[in-house]
């Protein structure tokens, strides 16, 4: 078996995407898929040939089995997934929209993933990996998942594993905004590569422009800050380099969910291959652009041949 390159962890849910635009209560049919920021990243990296493992819990139910089957089919390592006999796999409903962001309703309270604790995954038994990707979602799901995420982060950081972190703010999962900001920033400041959206950066730092947001984290030890700017591309900042990298032209926006995860796939994969920071951000912009042109959270993520074709044919924003 090839060496594990990336480990990620989080909650996966069954997702039901409405077949037609309109309110969720009026929709009569849905397409089933898998949702979860970290599973999106795992699938995207696997499609690019990077061996990735996802660590979590699913329920002993049809949703949990569907998630396991999907990840296995995508080539993601599922050997670190536990099956919970007592608590169910969460699910969500997502509307279909012709413009703007879809409405998403979550059914995840007391889910199997929310019950994850350090007792489930002893640190000394973690798989060997080169890189750890985390988001701000597990720390919001439950106190026990927050503790596990924090312990895993610090344990692997001591072993010189590189860390990427996407804030992925979910305010409804937190008791208040101040707690969200404090906890997410604790994780963010431990990262080597930090990938916030511009609005997330404003919330987390109190600064309104990308330069100050980047400086806030660079001063706290982050090596690379990449701020996602939507159709304008992304802004990268290191101790020695600052540059705005243009995005790719999107012919039609179908579904915006998953674009940030696709961006993370591009940046992480490129940096693990030894490409430059700018090349990594260009790849992130490319996968993010492809993602929004497809329905579903990860369905538009490319394999390497598709990615190279898109980057050659794609048009950069001026």
């Amino acid at each position: 078996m090839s060496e594990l390159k990336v480990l990620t962890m989080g909650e996966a849910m069954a997702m039901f995407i409405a077949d037609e635009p309109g309110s969720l209560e009026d929709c009569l049919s849905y397409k089933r898929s898998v949702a979860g920021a970290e599973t999106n990243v795992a699938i995207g990296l696997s499609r690019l040939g990077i061996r990735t493992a996802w660590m979590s819990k699913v329920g002993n139910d049809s949703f949990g089995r569907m998630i396991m089957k999907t990840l296995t089919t995508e080539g993601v390592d599922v050997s670190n997934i536990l099956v919970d006999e007592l608590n169910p796999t969460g699910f969500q409903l997502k509307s279909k929209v012709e413009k703007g962001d879809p409405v998403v309703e979550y059914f995840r309270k007391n889910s199997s993933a929310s019950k994850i604790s350090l007792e489930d995954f002893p640190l000394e038994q973690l798989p060997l990996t080169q890189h750890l990707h985390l988001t701000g979602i597990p720390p919001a799901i439950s106190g026990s998942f927050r503790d596990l995420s924090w312990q895993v982060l610090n344990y692997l950081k001591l072993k010189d594993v590189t860390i990427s972190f996407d804030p992925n703010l979910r305010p409804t999962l937190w008791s208040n905004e101040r707690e969200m900001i404090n906890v997410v920033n604790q994780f963010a400041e431990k990262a080597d590569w930090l990938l916030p959206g511009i609005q997330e950066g404003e919330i987390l730092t109190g600064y309104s422009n990308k330069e100050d947001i980047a400086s806030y984290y660079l001063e706290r030890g982050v090596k690379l800050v990449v701020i996602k700017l939507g159709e304008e591309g992304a802004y990268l900042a290191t101790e020695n380099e600052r540059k705005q990298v243009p995005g790719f032209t999107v012919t039609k926006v179908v579904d915006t969910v998953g674009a940030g995860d696709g961006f993370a796939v591009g940046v992480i994969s490129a940096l693990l291959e030894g490409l430059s920071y700018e090349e990594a951000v260009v790849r992130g912009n490319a996968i993010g652009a492809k993602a929004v042109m497809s329905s579903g959270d990860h369905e538009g993520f490319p394999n390497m041949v598709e990615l190279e074709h898109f980057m050659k044919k794609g048009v950069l924003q001026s």
Side-chain angles (χ1 to χ4, degrees):
M1 184 176 289
S2 59
E3 181 182 8
L4 182 66
K5 293 280 189 179
V6 178
L7 172 67
T8 188
M9 56 195 292
E11 178 174 25
M13 291 170 283
M15 176 170 64
F16 296 89
I17 308 169
D19 281 336
E20 65 274 343
S23 63
L24 290 171
E25 61 267 28
D26 292 331
C27 182
L28 298 178
S29 59
Y30 293 81
K31 174 186 175 183
R32 191 186 68 177
S33 185
V34 172
E38 302 83 9
T39 47
N40 290 339
V41 172
I43 288 170
L45 290 172
S46 182
R47 288 183 184 177
L48 296 180
I50 296 174
R51 184 165 174 254
T52 304
W54 181 69
M55 189 168 79
S56 190
K57 266 186 178 180
V58 297
N60 185 14
D61 47 42
S62 58
F63 290 165
R65 289 187 287 275
M66 184 264 290
I67 289 167
M68 293 278 283
K69 184 176 181 180
T70 299
L71 293 176
T72 300
T73 300
E74 291 285 354
V76 176
D77 186 319
V78 298
S79 60
N80 295 280
I81 302 176
L82 300 181
V83 176
D84 189 331
E85 299 292 338
L86 300 176
N87 301 287
T89 309
F91 70 97
Q92 64 174 252
L93 303 178
K94 185 166 79 169
S95 69
K96 181 176 182 179
V97 296
E98 296 175 326
K99 186 177 181 181
D101 295 334
V103 173
V104 181
E105 292 187 1
Y106 297 97
F107 301 83
R108 69 199 309 176
K109 186 176 181 180
N110 294 320
S111 68
S112 51
S114 72
K115 304 301 181 181
I116 291 175
S117 69
L118 189 58
E119 287 69 33
D120 294 318
F121 298 100
L123 297 177
E124 63 276 8
Q125 296 179 22
L126 291 176
L128 297 176
T129 185
Q130 293 184 23
H131 183 79
L132 172 68
H133 178 68
L134 294 175
T135 80
I137 299 174
I141 292 173
S142 65
S144 61
F145 208 164
R146 183 185 310 173
D147 291 341
L148 174 64
S149 302
W150 184 248
Q151 294 292 333
V152 169
L153 168 63
N154 286 281
Y155 179 80
L156 293 180
K157 195 169 182 68
L158 288 174
K159 294 185 175 295
D160 294 323
V161 171
T162 53
I163 312 291
S164 57
F165 184 74
D166 184 339
N168 253 309
L169 296 183
R170 298 290 189 271
T172 57
L173 293 178
W174 295 91
S175 58
N176 60 74
E177 185 177 80
R178 177 46 52 191
E179 181 189 28
M180 177 181 74
I181 292 171
N182 288 340
V183 173
V184 171
N185 272 335
Q186 288 175 3
F187 281 82
E189 292 167 17
K190 289 276 189 174
D192 297 292
W193 312 331
L194 179 63
L195 311 172
I198 182 66
Q199 293 180 333
E200 291 176 326
E202 292 176 3
I203 293 170
L204 291 171
T205 69
Y207 293 112
S208 59
N209 64 74
K210 58 186 182 292
E211 293 85 2
D212 289 338
I213 294 170
S215 295
Y216 178 92
Y217 290 109
L218 292 174
E219 291 168 1
R220 288 161 174 76
V222 178
K223 296 181 177 66
L224 169 68
V225 181
V226 186
I227 301 173
K228 293 167 282 189
L229 304 173
E231 64 182 18
E232 296 178 12
Y235 176 77
L236 77 85
T238 69
E239 183 179 1
N240 301 313
E241 180 182 9
R242 289 180 181 246
K243 185 172 185 178
Q244 184 154 330
V245 181
F248 287 78
T249 299
V250 173
T251 55
K252 181 180 179 181
V253 175
V254 176
D255 189 342
T256 57
V257 178
D261 302 326
F263 182 85
V265 169
V267 172
I268 295 167
S269 63
L271 293 178
L272 290 178
E273 291 173 19
L275 300 184
S276 70
Y277 290 139
E278 183 175 354
E279 290 171 321
V281 176
V282 170
R283 182 183 288 186
N285 285 340
I287 299 180
K290 276 192 65 64
V292 302
M293 291 188 282
S294 299
S295 178
D297 289 10
H298 60 260
E299 278 74 0
F301 292 1
N303 59 36
M304 190 58 76
V305 173
E306 293 167 337
L307 174 61
E308 291 174 350
H309 177 77
F310 179 78
M311 292 180 70
K312 287 178 182 178
K313 301 293 184 179
V315 178
L316 289 171
Q317 298 277 8
S318 57

